[in-house]
Amino acid sequence: MSQREWVAAAIHKIEADFNRSADTHLIPLPLPGYAGIDAYLKDESSHPTGSLKHRLARSLFLYSLANGWLREGSTVVEASSGSTAVSEAYFARLLGLPFVAVIPRSTSPEKIAAIEFHGGRCHLVESACSLNDESERVARETGGHFMDQFTYAERATDWRANNNIAESIFKQMAEEPHPVPAWIVCGPGTGGTSATLGRYVRYRRHDTRVLCADPETSVFFDYYRDACQGRADPSLALPGGSRIEGIGRPRVERSFIASCVDAMVKVPDALSLAAMRHVSAVLGRRVGGSTGTNFVGVLRAAQAMHEAGQEGSIVSILCDSGERYAHSYYDPAWYARHDIDVEGADRAIAEAVAGAPLQQLPTCNL
């Protein structure tokens, strides 16, 4: 089989897999303290690999195949905090390709098990800051291809149509009381989702604004704030990684396009995890920490709308299931080890849902 024939067959397999998949649900979420403001969560945990990153992985594979970067037998390498690696392992196995995930040692054991379940191999590193360099080294030594989600996420996704997450949200909102959301809230990881959402709403000429909720240990908020003031520093970096797996980065990634984002809020980890517990209780099932960060962004957007006397809708993303975090976010001992105030944060979220303002959250353009 020639290379072109192999690529054609590989793309056909991915497209057939996509054709077998249903869309993800849009779930109403009550905000008792904000009359006239409706909130929804786009439940990305229902993808075959259990997270929002399933969409990204599919796009990255198609992008790499169309560019001629993947060949029959190629080793696929990715730098990931877990969920992207799970999804890429799924697509690598679909195409019969070996897969290596370069992940932080702190990645939850449930995610490691999921990567290995789909046939991937995990290469653990101590620091999140070294993921890309180590991935490039592994790719060189195996003669493989480094997918590099943090560079290509924003360009691999077709932001205009093709059932991307933005198009899906607007189709599902069509019969709701406020069909055009005032805000869509997401957390920046690669920056690919915020770029897709921001481009789509501009392309379709919607009034919707995109709010990014950045976790405590991440450079994106500071970079965005500086970019809004005309002094962005792409070399901005932190020594450690985010405790909220899947979002937040210690350095500015090339897929994060600040001009696609309308506003940002920086969320303390304690509040993210309290919001995670609140959403889990409301839905009757566990969600991940990044969903909690998003929900704090929803509360902050609702507060801004309420103060402005506005009604409307807010859509955010349920990124993944909480079952992947049984040994961390759902383990009381983990909170004790990290000295996180659970009771105070739970109280703050409960009061915010009832309409009390969230105090001391750094915001930009909100």
Side-chain angles (χ1 to χ4, degrees):
M1 183 184 295
S2 70
Q3 168 67 4
R4 287 292 292 271
E5 289 172 330
W6 181 84
V7 167
I11 290 174
H12 178 77
K13 287 179 182 178
I14 293 175
E15 292 292 277
D17 179 81
F18 175 61
N19 200 47
R20 292 191 296 269
S21 301
D23 200 359
T24 59
H25 297 291
L26 191 65
I27 304 171
L29 195 68
L31 295 180
Y34 298 97
I37 299 175
D38 302 321
Y40 304 82
L41 288 177
K42 180 73 165 157
D43 184 6
E44 295 293 286
S45 71
S46 58
H47 284 295
T49 54
S51 83
L52 168 67
K53 300 298 186 181
H54 192 85
R55 294 179 188 269
L56 173 60
R58 181 172 58 225
S59 295
L60 287 169
F61 267 84
L62 290 172
Y63 189 71
S64 296
L65 288 164
N67 282 328
W69 295 343
L70 286 178
R71 306 182 66 85
E72 186 174 8
S74 295
T75 296
V76 181
V77 182
E78 184 60 283
S80 170
S81 65
S83 287
T84 302
V86 174
S87 298
E88 288 191 14
Y90 171 92
F91 284 105
R93 184 173 68 175
L94 183 69
L95 302 186
L97 302 177
F99 178 75
V100 178
V102 180
I103 60 177
R105 192 170 295 278
S106 59
T107 299
S108 69
E110 292 83 4
K111 283 187 178 178
I112 292 173
I115 293 166
E116 292 174 345
F117 172 80
H118 289 295
R121 177 170 66 85
C122 294
H123 180 84
L124 276 59
V125 299
E126 295 297 333
S127 171
C129 300
S130 63
L131 287 180
N132 277 33
D133 290 343
E134 189 65 9
S135 296
E136 289 173 352
R137 185 190 68 78
V138 172
R140 283 196 305 271
E141 291 185 357
T142 60
H145 171 63
F146 173 32
M147 296 290 271
D148 196 1
Q149 61 167 324
F150 296 107
T151 294
Y152 296 111
E154 59 90 6
R155 63 194 76 172
T157 301
D158 183 355
W159 47 268
R160 286 167 292 190
N162 195 27
N163 194 35
N164 65 35
I165 191 168
E167 182 183 47
S168 177
I169 285 170
F170 279 88
K171 284 184 177 179
Q172 291 176 317
M173 285 292 293
E175 301 299 326
E176 298 303 309
H178 306 284
V180 176
W183 291 95
I184 299 179
V185 179
C186 66
T190 60
T193 301
S194 59
T196 297
L197 293 168
R199 288 166 173 165
Y200 184 86
V201 297
R202 288 167 176 80
Y203 176 63
R204 293 297 184 189
R205 302 178 298 282
H206 294 305
D207 289 333
T208 304
R209 299 175 71 194
V210 175
L211 169 65
C212 274
D214 201 29
E216 183 175 314
T217 309
S218 175
V219 301
F220 288 130
F221 177 86
D222 293 337
Y223 173 75
Y224 177 79
R225 180 195 57 204
D226 293 347
C228 290
Q229 298 171 356
R231 49 184 180 86
D233 180 6
S235 67
L236 196 63
L238 294 172
S242 171
R243 284 189 294 200
I244 307 301
E245 289 190 32
I247 58 173
R249 291 292 294 158
R251 70 177 198 179
V252 181
E253 302 296 348
R254 281 177 282 183
S255 274
F256 180 72
I257 311 298
S259 56
C260 288
V261 176
D262 296 291
M264 287 198 71
V265 59
K266 195 168 188 70
V267 181
D269 291 346
L271 281 185
S272 289
L273 298 170
M276 172 198 76
R277 292 189 292 273
H278 171 82
V279 173
S280 296
V282 171
L283 298 183
R285 58 188 173 94
R286 290 178 171 181
V287 302
S290 56
T291 301
T293 307
N294 287 346
F295 185 64
V296 174
V298 168
L299 291 172
R300 189 61 187 84
Q303 179 184 329
M305 291 173 66
H306 178 73
E307 290 170 351
Q310 298 173 347
E311 296 185 350
S313 59
I314 304 170
V315 177
S316 191
I317 300 169
L318 195 167
C319 304
D320 62 1
S321 165
E323 304 310 318
R324 292 180 171 179
Y325 308 100
H327 290 82
S328 54
Y329 305 148
Y330 290 94
D331 179 4
W334 185 88
Y335 290 90
R337 288 196 302 272
H338 290 88
D339 194 27
I340 293 176
D341 176 14
V342 173
E343 291 184 6
D346 282 345
R347 185 168 55 252
I349 291 299
E351 291 172 352
V353 170
L358 284 165
Q359 303 294 335
Q360 298 178 335
L361 288 185
T363 62
C364 185
N365 289 346
L366 186 64

Coordinates of all heavy atoms in Angstrom, one line a residue, residues 22 33 43-44 46 52 63-64 79 81 104 107 112 121 156 160-161 190 204 236 257 266 269 271 290 292 350-351 353:
A22 N -22.6 10.0 18.4 CA -23.7 11.0 18.6 C -23.2 12.3 19.2 O -22.1 12.3 19.7 CB -24.8 10.4 19.5
G33 N -29.9 32.0 42.4 CA -29.8 33.4 42.8 C -29.8 34.4 41.6 O -29.7 35.6 41.8
D43 N -22.0 18.6 27.9 CA -21.4 17.4 28.5 C -20.5 16.7 27.6 O -20.9 15.7 26.9 CB -22.5 16.5 29.1 CG -22.0 15.4 29.9 OD1 -20.7 15.3 30.1 OD2 -22.8 14.5 30.2
E44 N -19.2 17.0 27.6 CA -18.2 16.4 26.8 C -17.7 15.0 27.3 O -16.9 14.4 26.7 CB -17.0 17.3 26.5 CG -17.4 18.6 25.7 CD -17.8 18.3 24.3 OE1 -16.9 18.0 23.5 OE2 -19.0 18.3 24.0
S46 N -19.3 12.4 27.6 CA -20.0 11.3 26.9 C -19.3 10.9 25.6 O -19.8 10.0 24.9 CB -21.5 11.7 26.6 OG -21.6 12.8 25.8
L52 N -13.7 16.3 26.6 CA -13.6 17.3 25.6 C -12.5 17.0 24.6 O -12.6 17.4 23.4 CB -13.5 18.7 26.2 CG -13.1 19.9 25.4 CD1 -14.3 20.2 24.4 CD2 -12.8 21.1 26.2
Y63 N -5.5 16.5 10.9 CA -4.6 17.5 10.4 C -3.2 16.9 10.1 O -2.6 17.2 9.1 CB -4.5 18.5 11.6 CG -3.7 19.8 11.2 CD1 -4.3 20.8 10.4 CD2 -2.5 20.1 11.8 CE1 -3.6 21.9 10.1 CE2 -1.8 21.2 11.5 CZ -2.3 22.2 10.7 OH -1.7 23.3 10.4
S64 N -2.7 16.0 11.0 CA -1.4 15.4 10.7 C -1.5 14.5 9.5 O -0.5 14.5 8.7 CB -1.0 14.6 12.0 OG -0.8 15.5 13.1
A79 N 2.5 15.4 24.3 CA 2.7 16.0 25.6 C 1.3 16.3 26.2 O 0.6 17.0 25.6 CB 3.6 17.3 25.6
S81 N -1.4 16.4 30.0 CA -1.7 16.2 31.4 C -2.6 15.0 31.6 O -3.0 14.7 32.7 CB -2.3 17.4 32.0 OG -3.6 17.7 31.4
P104 N 3.0 14.5 33.1 CA 3.6 14.8 34.4 C 3.4 13.5 35.3 O 2.4 12.8 35.3 CB 2.7 15.9 34.9 CG 2.1 16.5 33.7 CD 1.9 15.4 32.8
T107 N 0.1 13.1 37.2 CA -1.2 12.7 36.5 C -1.9 11.6 37.3 O -1.3 10.7 37.8 CB -0.9 12.3 35.1 OG1 -0.2 13.3 34.4 CG2 -2.1 11.9 34.4
I112 N -3.8 7.5 33.7 CA -2.7 6.6 33.2 C -3.3 5.2 32.8 O -3.0 4.7 31.8 CB -1.6 6.4 34.3 CG1 -0.9 7.8 34.5 CG2 -0.6 5.3 33.9 CD1 0.1 7.8 35.7
R121 N 1.5 3.9 25.8 CA 2.5 3.8 26.8 C 2.8 5.1 27.4 O 2.8 6.2 26.7 CB 3.8 3.3 26.1 CG 5.0 3.2 27.1 CD 6.2 2.4 26.4 NE 6.8 3.1 25.3 CZ 7.7 4.1 25.5 NH1 8.1 4.4 26.6 NH2 8.2 4.6 24.4
A156 N -5.9 23.1 13.9 CA -6.3 21.8 13.5 C -7.9 21.8 13.4 O -8.4 21.0 12.7 CB -5.8 20.7 14.4
R160 N -15.2 27.0 11.5 CA -16.4 27.6 10.8 C -17.6 26.6 10.9 O -18.7 27.1 10.9 CB -16.0 27.8 9.4 CG -15.2 29.1 9.2 CD -14.6 29.2 7.8 NE -13.6 28.1 7.6 CZ -12.8 28.1 6.6 NH1 -12.8 29.0 5.6 NH2 -11.9 27.1 6.5
A161 N -17.4 25.3 10.8 CA -18.5 24.4 10.8 C -18.0 23.0 11.1 O -17.2 22.8 12.0 CB -19.2 24.4 9.4
T190 N -4.9 24.1 26.0 CA -4.1 24.4 24.8 C -4.5 25.8 24.3 O -3.7 26.5 23.7 CB -4.4 23.4 23.7 OG1 -5.8 23.5 23.3 CG2 -4.0 22.0 24.1
R204 N -20.0 34.0 12.7 CA -21.5 33.9 12.6 C -22.2 35.2 13.0 O -23.4 35.3 13.0 CB -22.0 32.7 13.4 CG -21.6 31.4 12.9 CD -22.2 31.1 11.5 NE -21.9 29.8 11.0 CZ -22.2 29.4 9.8 NH1 -22.7 30.2 8.9 NH2 -21.9 28.2 9.4
L236 N 6.4 34.6 29.1 CA 6.0 34.5 30.4 C 5.9 33.0 30.9 O 5.4 32.2 30.1 CB 4.6 35.1 30.6 CG 4.1 35.5 31.9 CD1 4.9 36.5 32.6 CD2 2.6 36.0 31.8
I257 N -4.9 32.2 21.7 CA -5.0 33.4 20.9 C -5.8 34.4 21.7 O -7.0 34.3 21.9 CB -5.7 33.2 19.5 CG1 -5.1 31.9 18.8 CG2 -5.7 34.4 18.7 CD1 -3.7 32.1 18.4
K266 N -9.4 34.7 37.0 CA -8.5 33.8 37.6 C -9.1 33.2 38.8 O -9.6 33.9 39.7 CB -7.2 34.5 38.0 CG -6.0 33.6 38.2 CD -4.7 34.3 38.3 CE -3.5 33.4 38.4 NZ -3.3 32.7 37.2
D269 N -7.7 27.5 43.3 CA -8.0 26.1 43.2 C -9.1 25.6 44.2 O -9.9 24.8 43.8 CB -6.7 25.3 43.4 CG -5.7 25.4 42.3 OD1 -6.1 25.9 41.2 OD2 -4.5 25.1 42.5
L271 N -11.7 27.2 45.2 CA -13.0 27.5 44.6 C -13.4 26.6 43.4 O -14.5 26.2 43.3 CB -13.1 29.0 44.2 CG -13.3 30.0 45.2 CD1 -13.5 31.4 44.6 CD2 -14.5 29.7 46.1
S290 N -11.7 20.8 36.2 CA -11.8 21.8 35.2 C -13.2 22.3 35.0 O -13.5 23.5 34.7 CB -11.2 21.4 33.9 OG -11.8 20.2 33.4
G292 N -15.3 22.5 37.4 CA -15.5 23.4 38.5 C -15.0 24.8 38.2 O -15.6 25.8 38.5
A350 N -21.7 28.0 47.6 CA -23.1 27.9 47.9 C -23.7 29.3 48.0 O -24.8 29.5 47.5 CB -23.3 27.2 49.3
E351 N -23.0 30.2 48.6 CA -23.5 31.6 48.7 C -23.6 32.3 47.3 O -24.5 33.0 47.0 CB -22.6 32.4 49.7 CG -22.8 31.9 51.1 CD -21.8 32.6 52.1 OE1 -20.9 33.3 51.5 OE2 -21.9 32.4 53.3
V353 N -24.0 30.8 44.4 CA -25.1 30.2 43.6 C -26.4 30.8 44.1 O -27.3 31.1 43.3 CB -25.2 28.7 43.8 CG1 -26.5 28.1 43.3 CG2 -24.0 28.0 43.2

